[in-house]
Amino acid sequence: MALDASDTRLNKFISETGIVSRREADRLIEEGAVKVNGRRAEMGMRVTDADRVTVRGKPLRAKPRPVYLLYNKPVGVTCTTDPADPTNIVDAINYPERIFPIGRLDKPSQGLILLTNDGDIVNKILRAGNAHEKEYLVRVDRPIDQSFIERMGAGIPILGTVTQPCPVRQTGPNSFTIVLTQGLNRQIRRMTEYLGYEVTYLKRVRLMNIHLDRLSSGQWRELSDDEMATLEGMLGDSRKTEDASLPKRKAKPAKQGAGKTGAGKPGSGKSAAAKPGAKRTAEPGKRKPGQSKPGQNKSAQGKPAAKPKRAIKQAAKPGDGKPAGKGGQGKAGFNSKSPTKSGSKPGASKADNRTGSKKGFSKPGSSKQGPNKAGGGSARRSPRGRS
């Protein structure tokens, strides 16, 4: 997988030569130790291969060839590049060029991990939204059953979220395989702990198309040309930016608020009666028994438009059997009171109209008990319905 050096951020351009990390490159730029074409470099600037970049007066050396290593990490090795940690993975491999791990495995875990000097490939593999598979062999401290397998596969609440559904298969009395596309911190261990189990053995055996096979613990090898060709094909549509983490955002039922645009039931959401100039043209065809006639005053005519707040709340919380609050009785409120008290007679005074408005809509549409108050209750409860 060749590196594209055209129009690259300066800190990345420097780090890809292998002399320092991006963070250290930023520090050098801030100190004024980096120059581009003889002029002091600035943070965030972009360069190409045609630019002459120097660090402390010395030109950058040529970028090294891309390196992709497969390592069978033993228990006890830490997935860090920090030289202060005597168990760091870089020292364990002792590769002659600067490399870093793609993702991590816990210190008590073992198995397949990739290392590279190619920063572009890392997030393409790791972002959950790209849905790249990682397969693990797991053993726990006591026997498991079908209920355990089903619950693990359906999703477990950890770290303030619920894990995505995933394939889980039992392989022994207390062992199973699991395939993840997420990478939450200590995910498998937290999932089993939630169900009352403790992991005693955890080994990653596959990452996408790369298999551990017979590579012994502590050994590493470079990926083959065939493995890299397949990997590049699988990463072709993958994104390396933050927006690749979409599974957390793609299922938001609130985005389907058809009632808010008037596309749902007549009078739902912001109905035509609520829009200027649309009261007398759209309202008569949508009037229910007990609703005001076109000749009624503005307050009596506009109130039914607020009623759909109860319907929106109920749609956002399917199966909720609680009443919608005072006045939130749905159509029953119209059938019992409205037909006998709401409509004012032709020629009635404004006082009569106001009286008829207050009485005729006291349950389903009044400002004291009606949909506005019920709607306020819905707004307070709706976040739980959408969580």
Side-chain angles (χ1 to χ4, degrees), residues 348-359:
S349 66
K350 293 182 178 179
D352 291 338
N353 286 339
R354 287 195 297 271
T355 304
S357 172
K358 292 179 180 178
K359 291 181 180 180

Side-chain angles (χ1 to χ4, degrees), residues 5-166:
S6 62
D7 195 22
T8 305
R9 286 180 64 92
L10 179 58
N11 61 349
K12 181 174 181 287
F13 188 89
I14 296 172
S15 68
E16 285 176 346
T17 64
I19 62 170
V20 291
S21 67
R22 289 195 196 186
R23 184 174 299 179
E24 292 168 332
D26 284 334
R27 180 176 55 80
L28 292 172
I29 295 170
E30 289 178 346
E31 291 175 356
V34 180
K35 291 185 178 181
V36 177
N37 300 324
R39 306 180 68 175
R40 178 169 174 167
E42 298 179 357
M43 293 293 294
M45 70 182 303
R46 305 182 74 86
V47 295
T48 69
D49 284 333
D51 293 308
R52 184 175 183 271
V53 180
T54 61
V55 177
R56 295 195 175 100
K58 297 181 179 180
L60 289 181
R61 64 187 184 188
K63 295 180 182 179
R65 67 177 182 87
V67 174
Y68 306 97
L69 303 182
L70 167 60
Y71 178 49
N72 187 349
K73 185 189 91 67
V75 172
V77 172
T78 306
C79 292
T80 179
T81 59
D82 185 1
D85 187 336
T87 65
N88 76 81
I89 192 170
V90 175
D91 287 348
I93 294 179
N94 195 27
Y95 194 75
E97 299 179 28
R98 178 180 173 271
I99 55 174
F100 47 86
I102 299 178
R104 56 171 290 125
L105 279 173
D106 296 333
K107 191 172 182 178
S109 303
Q110 58 186 297
L112 185 158
I113 188 164
L114 299 181
L115 296 98
T116 185
N117 59 357
D118 179 3
D120 287 335
I121 197 177
V122 176
N123 285 337
K124 287 184 178 182
I125 291 177
L126 297 182
R127 295 292 182 198
N130 293 328
H132 297 313
E133 294 183 346
K134 295 166 284 187
E135 184 175 354
Y136 301 82
L137 301 180
V138 187
R139 188 161 56 240
V140 291
D141 58 341
R142 56 193 180 89
I144 59 177
D145 55 17
Q146 186 60 29
S147 175
F148 172 90
I149 297 297
E150 291 175 356
R151 294 181 68 183
M152 285 286 287
I156 299 292
I158 60 171
L159 299 174
T161 186
V162 178
T163 59
Q164 296 175 13
C166 59

Side-chain angles (χ1 to χ4, degrees), residues 133-266:
E133 294 183 346
K134 295 166 284 187
E135 184 175 354
Y136 301 82
L137 301 180
V138 187
R139 188 161 56 240
V140 291
D141 58 341
R142 56 193 180 89
I144 59 177
D145 55 17
Q146 186 60 29
S147 175
F148 172 90
I149 297 297
E150 291 175 356
R151 294 181 68 183
M152 285 286 287
I156 299 292
I158 60 171
L159 299 174
T161 186
V162 178
T163 59
Q164 296 175 13
C166 59
V168 183
R169 180 175 62 88
Q170 186 169 355
T171 57
N174 61 337
S175 62
F176 61 94
T177 63
I178 183 170
V179 179
L180 302 180
T181 56
Q182 286 178 294
L184 302 179
N185 180 260
R186 298 173 63 88
Q187 180 171 343
I188 296 175
R189 296 180 187 275
R190 293 178 189 273
M191 291 171 70
T192 55
E193 286 171 5
Y194 181 87
L195 298 179
Y197 294 77
E198 182 179 352
V199 171
T200 60
Y201 175 89
L202 194 155
K203 183 177 184 179
R204 184 192 287 166
V205 295
R206 178 175 66 88
L207 173 62
M208 300 172 65
N209 65 304
I210 311 299
H211 294 261
L212 193 60
D213 294 333
R214 298 180 180 180
L215 192 65
S216 300
S217 179
Q219 290 185 336
W220 59 267
R221 65 171 176 84
E222 293 192 0
L223 296 185
S224 68
D225 292 341
D226 289 342
E227 287 173 325
M228 280 308 306
T230 303
L231 183 62
E232 288 181 4
M234 297 176 74
L235 295 176
D237 295 329
S238 298
R239 292 164 292 172
K240 60 183 178 180
T241 54
E242 288 288 347
D243 63 349
S245 302
L246 291 178
K248 297 179 182 178
R249 301 195 299 265
K250 68 180 180 181
K252 283 192 176 181
K255 296 292 185 182
Q256 301 174 359
K260 294 182 180 180
T261 61
K265 295 181 181 180

